[in-house]
Amino acid sequence: EAQVTQNPRYLITVTGKKLTVTCSQNMNHEYMSWYRQDPGLGLRQIYYSMNVEVTDKGDVPEGYKVSRKEKRNFPLILESPSPNQTSLYFCASSGGQGAYNEQFFGPGTRLTVL
Amino acid sequence: DAKTTQPPSMDCAEGRAANLPCNHSTISGNEYVYWYRQIHSQGPQYIIHGLKNNETNEMASLIITEDRKSSTLILPHATLRDTAVYYCIVRVGSGGYNKLIFGAGTRLAVHP
């Protein structure tokens, strides 16, 4: 089954404790991205990647890092989480240039930073 | 990307057609209209997209006005599982590299 998976689905942590949210897709998609969703602000893009070893900032990249060492994986790293990073996070992937542009979203990761 | 305007909420009776409007009066000639939905904090789900012509798939129909300044998403026989927030998004091109800019969307409530 074609899908985007995220882990963990729920996470409660404390300020300053480094964490990684994993994202994996099995559709051989070139394009992957991370969004966060907050009440009243909608979904906003954090980082995106057009292919392996190619990443770029989205609209709200501060406090986050990403890497794209393999095509299927795009982890989101919070080196020193803060309470304002409490949010619902979604990973998405799509087929890239020229491909039918349906973006597939993961199930979400609900992060709480105390 | 062009800005879109949608009503904040709508109601629909189960089994009836749900017609969700979207205004995009500043749309450019190379911008597509996309619809996604999000069911209660799940990941957004693609529904349909179009450029000029009306489109239909197994989920919905998309009607785009001739001047392309507005469109309507039609769910022909709404079910309770169609209760969700529906997002109308306008963006350049049909390639997969561009981000999606989600607005506030329309919260559709389907009632028995």
Coordinates of all heavy atoms in Angstrom, one line a residue, chain A residues 23-63:
Chain A
C23 N 10.1 10.2 9.0 CA 9.1 10.2 8.0 C 9.6 9.3 6.9 O 10.8 9.4 6.5 CB 8.9 11.6 7.4 SG 7.8 11.6 5.9
S24 N 8.8 8.4 6.4 CA 9.2 7.5 5.3 C 8.1 7.3 4.3 O 6.9 7.2 4.7 CB 9.6 6.1 6.0 OG 10.1 5.2 5.0
Q25 N 8.5 7.2 3.0 CA 7.5 7.0 2.0 C 7.9 5.8 1.1 O 9.1 5.7 0.9 CB 7.2 8.3 1.2 CG 8.4 9.0 0.7 CD 8.8 8.6 -0.7 OE1 8.2 7.8 -1.4 NE2 10.0 9.1 -1.2
N26 N 7.0 5.1 0.6 CA 7.3 3.9 -0.2 C 6.9 4.1 -1.6 O 6.6 3.1 -2.3 CB 6.6 2.6 0.4 CG 5.1 2.7 0.5 OD1 4.5 3.7 0.0 ND2 4.5 1.7 1.0
M27 N 6.8 5.3 -2.1 CA 6.3 5.5 -3.5 C 7.4 6.0 -4.4 O 7.1 6.5 -5.5 CB 5.2 6.6 -3.4 CG 4.0 6.0 -2.7 SD 2.8 7.3 -2.2 CE 3.5 8.0 -0.7
N28 N 8.7 6.0 -3.9 CA 9.8 6.5 -4.7 C 9.6 8.0 -5.1 O 10.1 8.4 -6.2 CB 10.0 5.6 -6.0 CG 11.4 5.7 -6.5 OD1 12.4 5.8 -5.8 ND2 11.5 5.7 -7.8
H29 N 9.0 8.7 -4.3 CA 8.8 10.2 -4.6 C 10.1 10.9 -4.4 O 10.8 10.7 -3.4 CB 7.7 10.7 -3.6 CG 6.3 10.3 -4.1 ND1 5.2 10.5 -3.3 CD2 5.9 9.8 -5.2 CE1 4.2 10.1 -3.9 NE2 4.5 9.7 -5.1
E30 N 10.3 11.9 -5.2 CA 11.4 12.8 -5.1 C 11.2 13.9 -4.1 O 12.1 14.3 -3.4 CB 11.8 13.4 -6.5 CG 12.3 12.4 -7.5 CD 11.7 12.7 -8.9 OE1 10.6 13.3 -9.0 OE2 12.2 12.1 -9.8
Y31 N 10.0 14.4 -4.1 CA 9.7 15.6 -3.3 C 9.1 15.2 -1.9 O 8.2 14.4 -1.9 CB 8.7 16.5 -4.0 CG 8.3 17.8 -3.3 CD1 9.1 18.9 -3.5 CD2 7.2 17.9 -2.5 CE1 8.8 20.1 -2.9 CE2 6.9 19.0 -1.9 CZ 7.7 20.2 -2.1 OH 7.3 21.3 -1.4
M32 N 9.7 15.7 -0.8 CA 9.1 15.5 0.5 C 9.2 16.8 1.3 O 10.0 17.7 1.0 CB 9.9 14.4 1.2 CG 9.9 13.1 0.6 SD 10.7 11.8 1.5 CE 9.5 11.5 2.9
S33 N 8.3 17.0 2.2 CA 8.2 18.2 2.9 C 7.6 18.0 4.3 O 7.0 16.9 4.6 CB 7.4 19.3 2.2 OG 6.0 18.9 2.1
W34 N 7.8 18.9 5.2 CA 7.3 18.9 6.5 C 6.4 20.2 6.7 O 6.8 21.3 6.3 CB 8.3 18.9 7.6 CG 8.9 17.6 7.9 CD1 10.1 17.1 7.4 CD2 8.3 16.6 8.7 NE1 10.2 15.8 7.9 CE2 9.2 15.5 8.7 CE3 7.1 16.5 9.5 CZ2 8.9 14.3 9.5 CZ3 6.8 15.4 10.2 CH2 7.7 14.3 10.2
Y35 N 5.2 20.0 7.3 CA 4.3 21.0 7.7 C 4.0 21.0 9.2 O 4.1 19.9 9.8 CB 3.0 20.9 7.0 CG 3.0 21.1 5.5 CD1 3.3 20.0 4.6 CD2 2.6 22.3 4.9 CE1 3.3 20.2 3.3 CE2 2.6 22.4 3.5 CZ 3.0 21.4 2.7 OH 3.0 21.5 1.3
R36 N 3.7 22.1 9.7 CA 3.1 22.1 11.1 C 1.8 22.8 11.0 O 1.5 23.7 10.2 CB 4.0 22.8 12.1 CG 4.3 24.3 11.8 CD 5.2 24.9 13.0 NE 4.4 25.1 14.2 CZ 4.9 25.5 15.3 NH1 6.2 25.8 15.4 NH2 4.2 25.6 16.4
Q37 N 0.9 22.3 11.9 CA -0.5 22.8 11.9 C -0.8 23.3 13.3 O -0.7 22.6 14.3 CB -1.5 21.8 11.5 CG -2.9 22.3 11.4 CD -3.8 21.3 10.7 OE1 -3.7 20.1 10.9 NE2 -4.9 21.8 10.0
D38 N -1.2 24.6 13.4 CA -1.6 25.2 14.6 C -2.9 25.9 14.5 O -3.2 26.4 13.5 CB -0.5 26.3 15.0 CG 0.9 25.7 15.1 OD1 1.1 24.9 16.0 OD2 1.7 25.9 14.2
P39 N -3.7 25.9 15.6 CA -5.1 26.5 15.5 C -5.0 27.9 15.1 O -4.2 28.7 15.6 CB -5.5 26.4 17.0 CG -4.7 25.2 17.6 CD -3.4 25.3 16.9
G40 N -5.8 28.3 14.1 CA -5.8 29.7 13.7 C -4.8 30.0 12.7 O -4.8 31.1 12.0
L41 N -3.8 29.2 12.5 CA -2.7 29.5 11.6 C -2.6 28.5 10.4 O -1.9 28.7 9.5 CB -1.3 29.4 12.3 CG -1.1 30.5 13.4 CD1 0.2 30.3 14.2 CD2 -1.2 31.9 12.9
G42 N -3.4 27.5 10.5 CA -3.4 26.5 9.4 C -2.1 25.7 9.3 O -1.4 25.6 10.2
L43 N -1.9 25.1 8.1 CA -0.7 24.4 7.8 C 0.3 25.2 7.2 O 0.1 26.0 6.2 CB -1.0 23.2 6.9 CG -1.8 22.0 7.5 CD1 -3.2 21.9 6.8 CD2 -1.0 20.8 7.3
R44 N 1.5 25.2 7.8 CA 2.7 26.0 7.3 C 3.8 25.1 7.0 O 4.2 24.2 7.8 CB 3.0 27.1 8.3 CG 1.9 28.1 8.5 CD 2.3 29.1 9.6 NE 2.4 28.4 10.9 CZ 2.9 28.9 12.0 NH1 3.5 30.1 12.0 NH2 2.9 28.3 13.2
Q45 N 4.5 25.3 5.9 CA 5.6 24.5 5.5 C 6.9 24.8 6.3 O 7.3 26.0 6.4 CB 5.9 24.6 4.0 CG 6.9 23.5 3.5 CD 7.2 23.7 2.0 OE1 7.6 24.8 1.6 NE2 6.9 22.7 1.2
I46 N 7.6 23.8 6.8 CA 8.8 24.0 7.6 C 10.0 23.9 6.7 O 10.9 24.8 6.6 CB 8.9 23.0 8.7 CG1 7.6 23.0 9.6 CG2 10.1 23.2 9.6 CD1 7.5 21.9 10.6
Y47 N 10.2 22.7 6.1 CA 11.3 22.4 5.2 C 10.8 21.5 4.1 O 9.8 20.9 4.2 CB 12.4 21.7 5.9 CG 13.5 22.5 6.5 CD1 13.4 22.9 7.8 CD2 14.6 22.9 5.7 CE1 14.5 23.7 8.4 CE2 15.6 23.7 6.3 CZ 15.5 24.1 7.6 OH 16.5 24.8 8.1
Y48 N 11.5 21.5 3.0 CA 11.2 20.6 1.9 C 12.5 20.1 1.3 O 13.6 20.7 1.5 CB 10.3 21.3 0.9 CG 10.9 22.4 0.1 CD1 11.5 22.2 -1.1 CD2 10.8 23.7 0.6 CE1 12.0 23.3 -1.9 CE2 11.4 24.8 -0.1 CZ 12.0 24.6 -1.3 OH 12.5 25.6 -2.0
S49 N 12.3 19.1 0.5 CA 13.4 18.4 -0.2 C 13.0 18.0 -1.6 O 12.0 17.3 -1.7 CB 13.9 17.2 0.6 OG 14.9 16.5 -0.2
M50 N 13.8 18.4 -2.6 CA 13.4 18.0 -4.0 C 14.1 16.7 -4.4 O 13.7 16.1 -5.4 CB 13.9 19.1 -4.9 CG 13.0 20.4 -4.8 SD 13.3 21.5 -6.2 CE 12.2 22.8 -5.9
N51 N 15.1 16.3 -3.6 CA 15.7 15.0 -3.9 C 16.7 14.7 -2.9 O 16.9 15.5 -2.0 CB 16.3 14.9 -5.3 CG 16.1 13.6 -6.0 OD1 16.2 12.5 -5.3 ND2 15.9 13.6 -7.3
V52 N 17.4 13.6 -3.0 CA 18.4 13.2 -2.0 C 19.5 14.3 -1.9 O 19.9 14.8 -3.0 CB 19.1 11.9 -2.4 CG1 20.2 11.5 -1.5 CG2 18.0 10.8 -2.4
E53 N 19.8 14.7 -0.7 CA 20.8 15.7 -0.4 C 20.5 17.1 -0.9 O 21.3 18.0 -0.9 CB 22.2 15.3 -1.1 CG 22.8 13.9 -0.6 CD 23.2 13.9 0.8 OE1 23.1 14.9 1.5 OE2 23.6 12.8 1.3
V54 N 19.2 17.3 -1.2 CA 18.7 18.7 -1.6 C 17.6 19.1 -0.7 O 16.5 18.5 -0.7 CB 18.3 18.7 -3.1 CG1 17.8 20.1 -3.4 CG2 19.3 18.2 -4.0
T55 N 17.9 20.0 0.2 CA 16.8 20.5 1.1 C 16.8 22.0 1.1 O 17.8 22.6 0.8 CB 17.0 20.0 2.6 OG1 18.3 20.5 3.1 CG2 17.1 18.5 2.6
D56 N 15.7 22.6 1.5 CA 15.5 24.0 1.5 C 14.5 24.4 2.6 O 13.6 23.6 2.9 CB 15.2 24.6 0.2 CG 15.8 26.0 0.0 OD1 16.1 26.6 1.0 OD2 15.8 26.4 -1.2
K57 N 14.6 25.7 3.0 CA 13.7 26.2 4.0 C 12.3 26.5 3.4 O 12.2 27.0 2.3 CB 14.3 27.4 4.6 CG 15.6 27.2 5.4 CD 16.2 28.6 5.9 CE 17.5 28.4 6.6 NZ 18.0 29.6 7.1
G58 N 11.3 26.2 4.3 CA 10.0 26.6 3.9 C 9.7 28.0 4.6 O 10.5 28.8 4.7
D59 N 8.5 28.1 5.1 CA 8.0 29.4 5.7 C 8.4 29.5 7.2 O 8.6 30.7 7.6 CB 6.5 29.5 5.5 CG 6.1 29.6 4.1 OD1 6.8 30.2 3.3 OD2 5.1 28.9 3.7
V60 N 8.5 28.4 7.9 CA 8.8 28.5 9.3 C 9.9 27.5 9.7 O 9.7 26.6 10.5 CB 7.5 28.3 10.1 CG1 6.6 29.4 10.0 CG2 6.8 27.0 9.7
P61 N 11.1 27.7 9.2 CA 12.2 26.8 9.5 C 12.9 26.9 10.8 O 13.7 26.0 11.2 CB 13.2 27.0 8.3 CG 13.0 28.5 8.1 CD 11.6 28.8 8.3
E62 N 12.7 28.0 11.5 CA 13.5 28.3 12.7 C 13.3 27.2 13.8 O 12.2 26.9 14.1 CB 13.2 29.7 13.3 CG 13.6 30.8 12.4 CD 12.6 31.1 11.3 OE1 11.5 30.6 11.3 OE2 13.0 31.7 10.3
G63 N 14.4 26.7 14.3 CA 14.3 25.7 15.4 C 14.3 24.3 14.9 O 14.2 23.3 15.7

